[in-house]
Amino acid sequence: MKASDILEYALTDFTSSKFKTMMSSLGIIIGVLAIVAMLTLGDGLYSGISGQFGNLELDTMVVLPQSLSAMAGQGIQKPPAKLTDRDVNLIMGTPGVKEVDPEISFMALATYKGENRTVGVSGVVPQYMATARTMVDKGRYLSSSDVYAVVLGSKMANGTFGREVRTGSYITLANPYTGKSQDYMVAGIMQERNGSILAGNPNTAIYMTKAGMKALTDQDTYSFIGVRADSVEDATAVAGRVSQALGYVHRNEDYSVLTQKMFVDAIAQVFNLIKTTLAGIGAVSLVVGAIGIANVMMLTVRERVKEIGLMKAIGATTGDVRIIFLSEAMLLGLFSGVVGVLLSMLTAAVVSHFAGLSLGVSWPNALLGIAFGLVTTIVAGVYPANQASRLDPIDALRTE
């Protein structure tokens, strides 16, 4: 038989009993819907979480005075490294490093117009802050000579206190650990910027020079050193060179160089695991649907015994009969897969509207759902197709 004849015959039988077709495909439709919906939900959750960390600049990294194992309280701990200007200059001289951002961070009590708030304070070195200087919204950025001047993040200026903090006004900062306090003039307010996994949210911080911090704290070593590589592609290699360079001066001290990409990869692995688990749950529906299709096709073989005998009597081969039944299974899987994907798109749109998540069925997920539907129905149809192809035409024609 010609391929066109086989397809036409399979299509005719597929459309002859619409109710049976719908009932047979229902399990596969639900399975494909579940798989695609679960994968889409996983993608949406990942996008939502990633958005909380800003634009995830993969060319950035941070040098910390402790290792991850030490911060987790695991393994043998060395004394933490003391990060100083020597380390900053060493990193600046490392091939592939574009920018260095050393900071001293601590918590302080901020008072403005009689309101008190606990805030994060960052002591910076203005000459290194090339990127920050270009992102001032109002006023100016810090200069090396500033002692009693500060720059505020956008949300620190507008949203932290009951009143908006304007440039030229004064804010009082107190260190609860040392008991020291000092009034500072607001020299500038930064534009709203994207946060990051490594550096946190820059919009809620107060920035001052190292000299200005001496009125509040005696700390002179950096809490961390931010580093920007020349390119995203070279970031991992640059991190390795920075770590190697620091190893020469901190042989017996603990430190770590963490790239943004490390955190992104870790998040991706977690969400891939979640997506796989959710898809596995949805696959259970496919298995149930496959069993249902196998049963329906076996019943179809029994109902069409005489028809099969007639086909073989007029020249249809064993292979032709097998292909006809497999073609019917394939059409059923294709139909079920497409319907399941369409329903998953509708489900994603409804959930996105009410849950506030950005959900959309991607082409890879849609194609994966259709492929699952096809494979499941074809596998389910192999045994019934083989049973049909092995029928003896004489015995089949004698069947009432």
Side-chain angles (χ1 to χ4, degrees), residues 147-148 173 178 180-182 184 210-217:
V147 178
Y148 301 117
L173 295 175
T178 63
K180 298 179 179 180
S181 65
Q182 180 64 49
Y184 294 89
K210 286 179 65 179
M213 294 188 73
K214 290 182 179 179
L216 299 175
T217 177

Side-chain angles (χ1 to χ4, degrees), residues 28-81:
I28 302 300
I29 291 174
I30 294 173
V32 171
L33 167 62
I35 285 178
V36 177
M38 294 296 188
L39 291 174
T40 301
L41 179 60
D43 289 339
L45 289 173
Y46 176 70
S47 299
I49 295 296
S50 298
Q52 299 299 316
F53 297 116
N55 60 356
L56 298 175
E57 298 173 334
L58 301 183
D59 59 346
T60 59
M61 63 200 76
V62 65
V63 179
L64 298 175
Q66 283 184 300
S67 64
L68 288 178
S69 58
M71 286 185 280
Q74 301 173 351
I76 300 174
Q77 298 181 19
K78 297 179 182 179

Side-chain angles (χ1 to χ4, degrees), residues 240-278:
R241 290 194 287 268
V242 168
S243 181
Q244 184 178 18
L246 292 174
Y248 293 126
V249 295
H250 297 287
R251 290 187 179 89
N252 299 315
E253 294 178 325
D254 211 3
Y255 69 92
S256 58
V257 181
L258 307 178
T259 65
Q260 190 87 287
K261 189 175 184 300
M262 292 178 184
F263 289 90
V264 173
D265 290 344
I267 292 172
Q269 288 177 3
V270 171
F271 275 91
N272 283 334
L273 179 61
I274 292 174
K275 284 171 60 179
T276 302
T277 302
L278 293 176

Side-chain angles (χ1 to χ4, degrees), residues 278-302:
L278 293 176
I281 295 172
V284 174
S285 299
L286 276 181
V287 174
V288 175
I291 295 172
I293 286 175
N295 288 332
V296 170
M297 291 193 70
M298 284 301 297
L299 291 173
T300 302
V301 170
R302 291 179 183 177

